[in-house]
Structure formats: C-alpha cells, structure tokens
Amino acid sequence: MKNFCDLYWRLDSTTKTNEKILALQEYFAIAQPEDAIWAIYFLAGNHIKRLVGTKLLRQWAVEQADIAPWLFEECYDRVGDLAETISLILASAQEEPIHNGELADVALKTLIEENLIPLRELDPEQQKRNVIQLWSQFDQRQLFVLGKLMMGGFRVGVSKRL
C-alpha cells in the first residue's frame, strides 16, 4: 500500500508525461505481481463498488475526530472531496498513525482482498470497527488513497494509453 500511495501522489503531482512514465516504471519495477495487477486495475479507471455508505463514513469520522457534525460539514464544503476531508480531519485528530507493521505497509492485494472487499458483507457495527482499525494505521496521504479506494472514487491523471 505504501508504494501504491507513493505512486498515486507522484502521478497526481505532475502533468508531465515523462514524469508519469518514470513513476509508473519505478513502481512496476518493485511491485509484486499481485499488487501490480490491482494497480493496473485502478489506474485504468476501474474501481470496486462502494463498500461502505458515505453517511456512515462521515459519522464515524466525526466520532473519531471528536468534532461536531456541523464542523465536519463546513470542512467538507470547503474541501469538496469526502475522502480528502476525512483524511485531513482524522490525521489532525490523531497524534500519529499506528505504524506497527500490521497494515502500514500491507500489500495492496492484501488490503483490497482481505480488508476492503470483505467490508461489503459485514453489518454496520463490524464495518465501523474494521474501518476505524484501518484508519488508525495510515497517515494523511495514505488515508486519502484508502478513502478513494473504499468509496469507489479512485481517479488519477493517467490515460489508459499511458
């Protein structure tokens, strides 16, 4: 996940094709094949269906950040992106992420197949526990990418041809 997040931010931070090609080459040179397949899936514009409702994610983020719902909504109105708002609110609320090795550098394949896709089958209380556990593992930039993956809104400026 860490390498995939780094790739996302490198791609998102430039409009230069050669820099994007270099970022892709460097990622795929070190990525495990199982992770590379998922990366191609997302980079080609595909997404997994929304796993958790946005209303629940908002509610849980408010609770985790210990802020008033109106303040969250004001932040969201300013930021304009739910995944980004959640990542900023949560990152500022936690002293520092719990990088204990469990998920901080989990393989992308593992994150998707063992942590995210199974959320769909859980009841809301179990979803909440699992999502909060996931949130606690990542820093702001990783939370943003995680949010995009969870909500089915992952997009980055890479054409299929590229």
Side-chain angles (χ1 to χ4, degrees), residues 1-109:
M1 172 69 168
K2 182 183 180 314
N3 291 334
F4 182 70
C5 287
D6 292 344
L7 171 65
Y8 173 86
W9 288 104
R10 284 185 67 189
L11 294 171
D12 193 54
S13 68
T14 186
T15 57
K16 296 179 180 175
T17 302
N18 288 339
E19 288 182 23
K20 290 182 183 217
I21 291 171
L22 180 61
L24 290 166
Q25 287 172 335
E26 290 175 0
Y27 174 79
F28 288 115
I30 61 169
Q32 295 296 315
E34 304 85 19
D35 290 348
I37 290 168
W38 276 109
I40 291 168
Y41 178 81
F42 292 120
L43 294 171
N46 299 303
H47 56 88
I48 48 181
K49 188 176 177 182
R50 182 176 296 151
L51 302 167
V52 179
T54 57
K55 183 178 178 182
L56 290 175
L57 291 171
R58 285 175 179 209
Q59 177 184 336
W60 302 337
V62 164
E63 292 170 11
Q64 283 305 111
D66 195 25
I67 61 171
W70 68 264
L71 181 56
F72 181 90
E73 293 305 322
E74 286 295 318
C75 294
Y76 177 56
D77 285 344
R78 292 285 181 191
V79 173
D81 180 275
L82 185 58
E84 186 173 4
T85 303
I86 289 173
S87 73
L88 292 167
I89 296 273
L90 292 177
S92 64
Q94 61 189 20
E95 291 178 23
E96 64 182 73
I98 305 167
H99 288 288
N100 60 6
E102 276 182 49
L103 289 171
D105 199 17
V106 68
L108 182 61
K109 174 191 185 299

Side-chain angles (χ1 to χ4, degrees), residues 131-145:
V131 167
I132 290 171
Q133 175 63 23
L134 282 171
W135 282 345
S136 72
Q137 300 297 314
F138 300 108
D139 64 22
Q140 187 271 319
R141 292 164 58 103
Q142 294 164 338
L143 284 168
F144 175 78
V145 174

